[in-house]
Amino acid sequence: MRQTAARWKRPSLGTGAMVAALLVAGCGGGDDGGGGNLQPQSAENAPGLGLGHRATVEATVLSSAPERVTGGDALIRLSASERAPGKKFKVSLNGVDVSDAFTPTADREALGIVSGLKLGENTLEVKHGPARTTLTLTNYPITGPVFSGPHERPYICATQNFTLPDGSKLGAPLDENCSVERRVHYVYRSTANSFKPLPTPVAAYPADVASTTNNAGATVPYIVRVETGTINRAIYQTAILHDPLKDAEPTPLAPPSGWNRKVIYPLGGGCQGGWYMQGTPVAVLNHNYLRKGYAVASASLNTFGNNCNDLLSSETIAMVKERLIENYGTPFFTIGTGGSGGAYQSHQTGDNYPGLFDGIIVTSVFPDVTSSTIFKLHDSRLLHLYFTQTAPGQYSDAQRSAISGYLKPGNIAAMSSSAGRLDPVVSFPAGFPADQKYHPVNNPTGVRATVYDHTVNVYGKDARGFAKRPIDNVGVQYGLKALNDGMITPDQFIDLNEKIGGVDVDFKKIAQRTVGDLDAIARAYQSGRITSTGGGLATTPIIDQRDYYDDRVNGDIHNKIHSYSVRARLIAANGHADNQVIVGPGTIRDDNFDQMDRWLTAMLRDTGPGSKAEKVVRNKPADLVDACWDAGGNKIIEPQTAHGPGQCNTLYPAGTTPRMVAGGPLADDVVKCQLKPVDPADYKVMMTPAQLARLQSIFTTGVCDWSRPGVEQQPLKGTWLSFGPSPVNLLFDVTQP
């Protein structure tokens, strides 16, 4: 018998300085619990090894999980436990010899890209002396999908309008998946501090080319290789320092000399109208990143203004990182970063698909789309309609602020406007075919422009084919804190809750409260559409760069409270939030990317005992602490809390949300509350018998009991979940409900 050992994992240390550096790094998703399912077998009495000796050979996929390969190729590391004199690795793919694809990297080790994989399952067989192993590689098309479920249709291509570094256009799409041929361009940073195109092939250095010293100490000409193509129906780009006059063509065995072996993945904001289109990616020619030696990667479906679906974004990140690793080799680590919609993606990719990001730096923070953001948008729409149509002029500005939780009452109207992402007829992207737009009367079978319908692969469909909705306000006592604080009268409180109502499936005001679909609510929790923080985020360094918009007279969606909702979830799921640091508000004077780099580097070097969660905390830089800055630029170091004492909260007070005013938790993660009977003890003002009777007639099934978990609230079902076509960790398949 010969031992079999085939898997995909975060690689172990190799031998040799460069190989060791490459192999210690993260491989783009190594914490997913996936990999081969083969059972080890011993190779006893192998010739020349002696009685009872074992010889093993191992094949490790570095670019993806073996069950989620895309594009027909994979970067694979081979290692053998014993020398076999005169023997090399013999490798076959589906019975065809591919041994020449592998190059020795150290004693008993080799690295190579296996290409030509067919769609579906492929068998890789590796032999080294008496040891052998087999590995199944499941290949998916470069157009996707892999685990995000069926592609959305219609889909508007943007390649014909996308401008390349040399000023030309990417060109018309080649197929219905908006595909194009991959392109490579070179640009350089001039001594006048601007990026300029270089002709290809590069024949000589421009007279005005600048140089840069990366944060690994290497000084190189400031020339950047930019690759552009399409992956998963998205336009992607990668940018990396590469000197085409001195460096070899980049490969995993010959990475560019200017690359610091680290990646920054910027993510774009937005949400409303973010569906049915390819869009354009965040710019990767970022001087602040590239000058330090980071590779930069992103894709158009990683901008929520194009794609407000974190699941599809995570799948795209996985595929783009796979491509980058096959180009340049395994990075030490990847930092995800972005604000608003980019913060959604950073949190949810980090938690649900661990290993894609090793650390995240976020701004304008929200925990996710499904819970806190949509809760306040839904509630603000109802409050706006109540204050402007049902009871105009009956509440002062101070009372409306107290009921909404917002510091400025103008935020109610602003959030009501942002709730257009829940309206099926409002937020269609430009160029969308008019005859395909949903209208409840004129075109009831058309496609709907809502965040729920864009995430239908998770939530499923109702009998009409509309996405089920995880939103509910049954039992919510709007304005409860305002009543108890003496800001509104009992009669105002009763009238508000009697007439607030809800919305129907077309987001039209109705007298009844909104009732959420229990299946959709359960899957929102199970799948991580409501960020758990108990998945990958439990062991991920998080820097929250807290900005401040709560005091804007006309309102702003980016409210301070959401950072503390994330913190509350971390504490609830993991017992602490020591891996999260909140810096700001104020003008941040620290280099948070340098701090994150030092944090992640220290974790990689930490070979001491303890879990990854323990290593995250103990390797946090000493100068990275909760802080804010005052108007004079002075740093105020103190624990960041939602409403606690301290100078930061005095300078930058936080509002809350309508649901928190109603008694909802700071974590802001209860979709549908459990109910209890109306209880006079909940009210700090005396209610008359008539008022209590009226409340009981309003809340016939009861009011929210926020001391209990929400209906269907449950832990994350697992990480690296699938919604098809991959059967691995399949949670739900909308095509076979």
Side-chain angles (χ1 to χ4, degrees):
M1 300 290 289
R2 294 181 174 93
Q3 179 167 336
T4 299
R7 60 184 183 271
W8 175 66
K9 64 177 183 179
R10 188 174 295 277
S12 58
L13 291 171
T15 56
M18 187 189 82
V19 174
L22 286 172
L23 297 181
V24 75
C27 63
D31 294 327
D32 72 332
N37 57 6
L38 301 172
Q39 297 299 315
Q41 298 176 347
S42 63
E44 297 181 358
N45 299 318
L49 293 176
L51 184 64
H53 198 93
R54 288 182 179 177
T56 64
V57 62
E58 184 179 84
T60 305
V61 184
L62 302 183
S63 48
S64 71
E67 64 268 24
R68 289 186 294 268
V69 177
T70 65
D73 48 19
L75 177 63
I76 296 175
R77 172 185 173 240
L78 307 178
S79 63
S81 64
E82 303 289 344
R83 289 178 177 168
K87 300 292 184 181
K88 296 181 178 180
F89 290 102
K90 293 183 178 180
V91 188
S92 65
L93 175 67
N94 299 326
V96 177
D97 188 283
V98 293
S99 303
D100 289 345
F102 289 87
T103 300
T105 56
D107 186 28
R108 305 187 307 280
E109 294 181 2
L111 195 69
I113 292 179
V114 173
S115 57
L117 276 67
K118 64 184 180 181
L119 293 179
E121 290 191 351
N122 298 259
T123 300
L124 189 78
E125 185 175 33
V126 183
K127 298 178 182 179
H128 188 266
R132 65 178 294 273
T133 187
T134 59
L135 177 63
T136 299
L137 303 173
T138 305
N139 177 49
Y140 293 89
I142 199 67
T143 54
V146 182
F147 55 78
S148 70
H151 278 328
E152 184 177 66
R153 307 281 182 188
Y155 191 71
I156 300 169
C157 299
T159 56
Q160 66 276 15
N161 300 317
F162 184 74
T163 302
L164 293 163
D166 64 357
S168 65
K169 298 297 183 182
L170 187 52
L174 302 176
D175 56 32
E176 63 177 3
N177 291 313
C178 303
S179 304
V180 295
E181 293 292 333
R182 190 179 298 145
R183 320 284 175 80
V184 172
H185 295 83
Y186 281 89
V187 302
Y188 72 97
R189 186 79 173 178
S190 74
T191 52
N193 296 320
S194 64
F195 285 112
K196 294 182 178 181
L198 268 173
T200 304
V202 180
Y205 296 123
D208 61 341
V209 65
S211 63
T212 189
T213 301
N214 70 17
N215 63 6
T219 300
V220 294
Y222 200 155
I223 299 174
V224 182
R225 182 186 193 270
V226 181
E227 179 175 294
T228 309
T230 49
I231 285 175
N232 206 24
R233 303 201 303 176
I235 299 171
Y236 81 92
Q237 285 194 306
T238 61
I240 194 168
L241 291 174
H242 178 238
D243 182 353
L245 296 179
K246 290 185 178 179
D247 289 343
E249 182 72 13
T251 71
L253 288 166
S257 59
W259 183 32
N260 64 9
R261 311 297 204 279
K262 304 163 187 175
V263 178
I264 293 179
Y265 204 116
L267 305 152
C271 179
Q272 193 148 311
W275 27 77
Y276 303 117
M277 60 176 165
Q278 185 179 48
T280 57
V282 174
V284 295
L285 286 176
N286 186 306
H287 172 59
N288 289 329
Y289 303 157
L290 290 166
R291 68 184 177 87
K292 296 179 181 180
Y294 294 102
V296 186
S298 198
S300 58
L301 293 183
N302 301 130
T303 292
F304 257 29
N306 304 324
N307 161 49
C308 192
N309 180 334
D310 68 281
L311 171 65
L312 180 56
S313 172
S314 295
E315 180 180 72
T316 303
I317 292 164
M319 295 174 71
V320 171
K321 277 198 65 178
E322 180 181 4
R323 172 64 192 164
L324 183 145
I325 290 168
E326 290 166 355
N327 269 356
Y328 308 116
T330 306
F332 293 155
F333 53 72
T334 301
I335 301 170
T337 186
S340 188
Y344 291 138
Q345 297 169 77
S346 298
H347 283 133
Q348 294 185 270
T349 296
D351 204 39
N352 300 326
Y353 296 92
L356 293 180
F357 296 150
D358 299 285
I360 62 173
I361 300 175
V362 289
T363 62
S364 298
V365 160
F366 301 92
D368 53 66
V369 176
T370 304
S371 60
S372 52
T373 308
I374 286 181
F375 291 171
K376 78 175 184 180
L377 300 184
H378 168 273
D379 295 344
S380 295
R381 172 61 62 88
L382 296 177
L383 289 175
H384 179 67
L385 294 175
Y386 174 79
F387 289 138
T388 60
Q389 297 181 11
T390 306
Q394 295 184 29
Y395 295 81
S396 68
D397 283 355
Q399 288 177 321
R400 288 186 291 120
S401 285
I403 290 168
S404 68
Y406 305 135
L407 296 189
K408 301 295 182 181
N411 209 29
I412 300 171
M415 296 305 91
S416 176
S417 176
S418 290
R421 69 194 69 185
L422 308 179
D423 190 322
V425 301
V426 169
S427 298
F428 286 99
F432 191 88
D435 62 346
Q436 296 188 47
K437 293 181 180 180
Y438 170 82
H439 187 277
V441 176
N442 300 332
N443 191 15
T445 60
V447 297
R448 292 162 54 87
T450 77
V451 68
Y452 297 127
D453 290 279
H454 185 48
T455 319
V456 69
N457 292 346
V458 174
Y459 299 135
K461 300 177 182 178
D462 65 16
R464 293 159 292 188
F466 303 165
K468 297 177 181 179
R469 301 183 305 172
I471 185 69
D472 191 285
N473 70 337
V474 175
V476 175
Q477 297 187 85
Y478 290 99
L480 179 60
K481 185 177 186 298
L483 171 70
N484 287 334
D485 288 347
M487 291 297 298
I488 60 175
T489 68
D491 285 338
Q492 286 177 312
F493 173 72
I494 292 168
D495 189 76
L496 169 64
N497 282 285
E498 184 176 53
K499 298 173 182 176
I500 190 78
V503 293
D504 66 10
V505 71
D506 291 324
F507 209 60
K508 301 300 182 186
K509 173 74 164 57
I510 56 175
Q512 300 78 27
R513 296 295 183 103
T514 307
V515 178
D517 184 277
L518 296 183
D519 287 341
I521 293 171
R523 282 196 285 272
Y525 288 117
Q526 293 169 345
S527 70
R529 306 287 75 73
I530 296 175
T531 303
S532 158
T533 74
L537 285 186
T539 55
T540 298
I542 304 167
I543 300 178
D544 181 333
Q545 298 176 321
R546 185 64 258 169
D547 38 26
Y548 189 69
Y549 302 107
D550 289 54
D551 60 350
R552 291 195 171 182
V553 173
N554 294 321
D556 193 285
I557 195 171
H558 306 104
N559 303 133
K560 184 184 176 191
I561 194 67
H562 299 303
S563 291
Y564 307 101
S565 294
V566 175
R567 178 160 288 186
R569 296 186 192 188
L570 286 165
I571 293 170
N574 308 306
H576 68 87
D578 295 339
N579 60 314
Q580 182 208 40
V581 179
I582 299 176
V583 291
T587 301
I588 298 169
R589 302 301 176 94
D590 296 334
D591 187 338
N592 293 149
F593 281 89
D594 174 70
Q595 290 171 319
M596 178 62 78
D597 190 302
R598 288 190 277 120
W599 194 351
L600 293 170
T601 299
M603 288 175 60
L604 286 174
R605 291 173 175 169
D606 186 347
T607 59
S611 66
K612 184 178 180 183
E614 292 171 327
K615 293 182 179 182
V616 169
V617 175
R618 74 184 183 213
N619 286 291
K620 183 167 58 177
D623 62 338
L624 181 56
V625 292
D626 281 6
C628 70
W629 281 258
D630 65 18
N634 299 301
K635 185 177 183 179
I636 302 166
I637 298 174
E638 61 185 28
Q640 293 278 28
T641 60
H643 299 104
Q647 297 181 65
C648 292
N649 281 336
T650 299
L651 291 170
Y652 307 104
T656 60
T657 69
R659 200 150 295 207
M660 291 184 196
V661 173
L666 176 61
D668 212 7
D669 56 357
V670 175
V671 179
K672 181 179 182 66
C673 64
Q674 297 202 53
L675 302 176
K676 66 177 185 177
V678 172
D679 184 354
D682 288 341
Y683 314 113
K684 294 183 180 180
V685 297
M686 184 67 69
M687 293 277 191
T688 67
Q691 289 170 334
L692 285 172
R694 193 173 167 194
L695 278 173
Q696 288 167 343
S697 70
I698 294 168
F699 297 106
T700 56
T701 58
V703 297
C704 285
D705 182 353
W706 299 109
S707 69
R708 301 163 65 193
V711 176
E712 294 292 345
Q713 188 168 5
Q714 56 194 280
L716 184 68
K717 195 78 169 180
T719 59
W720 285 90
L721 297 176
S722 174
F723 295 83
S726 173
V728 179
N729 300 329
L730 183 68
L731 180 62
F732 175 72
D733 184 350
V734 73
T735 67
Q736 299 178 6

